[in-house]
Amino acid sequence: SHCCVGLEVKEDPEEFYKKFLPSAIDNLLVLGRRLQARFIRVIKDEEKQDFLHWFRTVTDAICWLFGGHVHLTVCVLQNDHFLQLLITDDVETAIIMMSVLHNILRVNSSVLLQVDEETLHSVLDELVYKLSSTTNPVIGNAATKLLLLVAKFCKQLVKLLTTRYKGLKGLLSKQWTGKGFDRDLSQLLDLLYMEQSNGKGEVQRQHQAACIIQAMWRGFQTRKRLKKLPQAVTTLQRSFRAKREQELQHLNKQKEDEALKLQMQLQRQRAMRLFHERQLALLEIIHASQVDKYMEEMEKKSALTIQRFWRGYRARRNFHQQRQSLKEYKAAVVIQRAVCKFLEKQRRRRPFSPWKDPKGLTDEQRLALQQKVDDYIKLHPASQMSEEMSKELHMQAQEKLAQFLLRSRLDQRAAQRRETLLAQVNTDVELLMNAPGLAETTEKDLDVFMSRSIPVATKARQSHNTMLKYTRWPWWKKLGDEFMEDDVIPDDALNAELGTLFIGGRK
């Protein structure tokens, strides 16, 4: 710092002033941050004094450097490390940094107008925060002097202080009066009150205008609310009646649930009592030597019943969990079928490229082609077959054809049997999906599972209704059928319903 002050650089002065000196300032500020951190962490008094002495040496070097080169004051203020050094809770280092800021304002009084708005607000915010967050008179004196210096040198910032920090005057007058620096404090308060009195008329005029606007707006809102008042009352009454009806329904449902629960509990108690009575009657009939055997059999039956109910519950739970994946699979199949039909129709509509005759052959080309044909015929003469060999070949072909027809009939019967079994499985799956719970089962539901005629008739009726519904579908439900020929009946959309119909008996 001492070497750079007063030095006249003849070679590359721009690099010295715009690159070297700002980098030196940045390095000194980084060194100051490290010394400040070490000073805050150290516990011993001797080491604290050493670190504080070195920190003061670094700040003196920074002050000496920007004192000789005034343009460095802007670099110091806009440096993030300087703001970090200023924003500290430590008293001693904070006082030193405020003295550095005081020297910056002494050297360049208009530096706060040269920096960006964010940096200016950060510095002022930190000074006001120190005044509001501490009771130390040394920090209060330093911060008050800095604000007074800012207000004297930069009159444009006085208005900023009064508008941005509206409680600053009350804070200064109440908290810092009688702390030993009343002279500087009174000068700062006079500047702030003078600025407030100058802008009081404008503020009063704006206040009156705002009151008029608010009165007009409140009147408009009131008139609008009065116009909507009958509709609001009707809506309120409707909502109140709906809420009361909902509460009554909820109470009735609770009463019904309680009555049903009580009835089920009574039925369960009655069934348990009958079971115990029957068991006691059987124990009286059974010989004493057979009691243990009878109890073991009853335990086995009970265990089997519990296992059966558990397996049924687990199967139903797994089935409900897989229902969504089954729906997604069916949807994917429908989409793939529509795409395949579209591609097939595109392939059918694709015109075949007609065979193009050669434009014309010369006599030499025609002779050359004729020569190639003759040579090929000579190399591959046609085979001659006798009448007996042709008859024998005909008989072999007839035998193979008969075997093929017999095998195709057997395959057809096997395919019909597979389709029949698949339809029966689909019918059973549909019955299981639509089956009620065990607690809600009636005799009619048992007849559905014990007789094949009822589910067959039901599925036939459902299939017929599905076909009728399909004929009444809107256009957006038949998007998959637009890829089919006009004379083809769209039976594929009904396969999910018709494929589950099982007709009992044998063919």
Side-chain angles (χ1 to χ4, degrees), residues 236-388:
L236 181 62
Q237 291 175 353
R238 188 185 303 113
S239 62
F240 174 74
R241 293 192 188 98
K243 185 177 180 181
R244 185 174 59 184
E245 185 68 22
Q246 187 177 3
E247 289 178 354
L248 291 175
Q249 291 180 0
H250 183 65
L251 290 175
N252 293 332
K253 187 177 179 181
Q254 283 185 351
K255 291 180 180 178
E256 291 177 358
D257 292 341
E258 291 177 358
L260 181 60
K261 189 183 296 182
L262 181 60
Q263 187 178 2
M264 290 179 62
Q265 186 176 1
L266 292 175
Q267 290 180 358
R268 193 179 296 111
Q269 291 177 357
R270 190 180 298 112
M272 289 294 293
R273 186 171 62 253
L274 292 175
F275 173 73
H276 288 302
E277 290 176 357
R278 194 181 301 111
Q279 192 174 14
L280 290 174
L282 289 174
L283 289 174
E284 291 177 357
I285 296 171
I286 297 173
H287 194 268
S289 60
Q290 301 294 327
V291 172
D292 294 337
K293 184 177 180 181
Y294 171 74
M295 295 301 294
E296 290 179 359
E297 291 179 356
M298 291 300 295
E299 289 178 357
K300 289 181 181 179
K301 288 182 180 180
S302 302
L304 290 175
T305 303
I306 294 171
Q307 291 174 0
R308 183 171 65 252
F309 275 94
W310 166 249
R311 292 192 188 99
Y313 165 74
R314 185 175 57 186
R316 287 191 297 273
R317 184 184 62 186
N318 294 335
F319 178 75
H320 287 299
Q321 290 176 357
Q322 294 174 1
R323 181 179 292 179
Q324 184 63 26
S325 61
L326 182 61
K327 288 182 181 179
E328 294 177 357
Y329 173 75
K330 288 183 179 180
V333 169
V334 171
I335 295 172
Q336 291 173 359
R337 187 185 297 117
V339 173
C340 291
K341 287 180 182 179
F342 172 75
L343 295 176
E344 183 65 24
K345 188 175 181 180
Q346 291 295 108
R347 284 195 294 268
R348 289 179 181 177
R349 288 184 178 179
R350 189 177 299 165
F352 294 100
S353 58
W355 182 77
K356 296 181 180 180
D357 297 332
K359 294 181 179 180
L361 295 175
T362 60
D363 295 337
E364 295 179 356
Q365 291 177 351
R366 191 178 292 106
L367 291 174
L369 290 174
Q370 187 65 34
Q371 185 64 33
K372 289 182 179 179
V373 170
D374 294 339
D375 294 339
Y376 184 81
I377 291 173
K378 288 179 181 178
L379 290 175
H380 305 85
S383 59
Q384 299 293 332
M385 184 177 294
S386 62
E387 185 177 358
E388 296 178 355

Side-chain angles (χ1 to χ4, degrees), residues 25 61-70 72-73 76 100 103-104 107:
I25 288 290
I62 294 172
C63 294
W64 182 265
L65 193 59
F66 67 70
H69 303 281
V70 180
L72 293 178
T73 55
V76 174
V100 173
N103 292 331
I104 291 174
V107 172

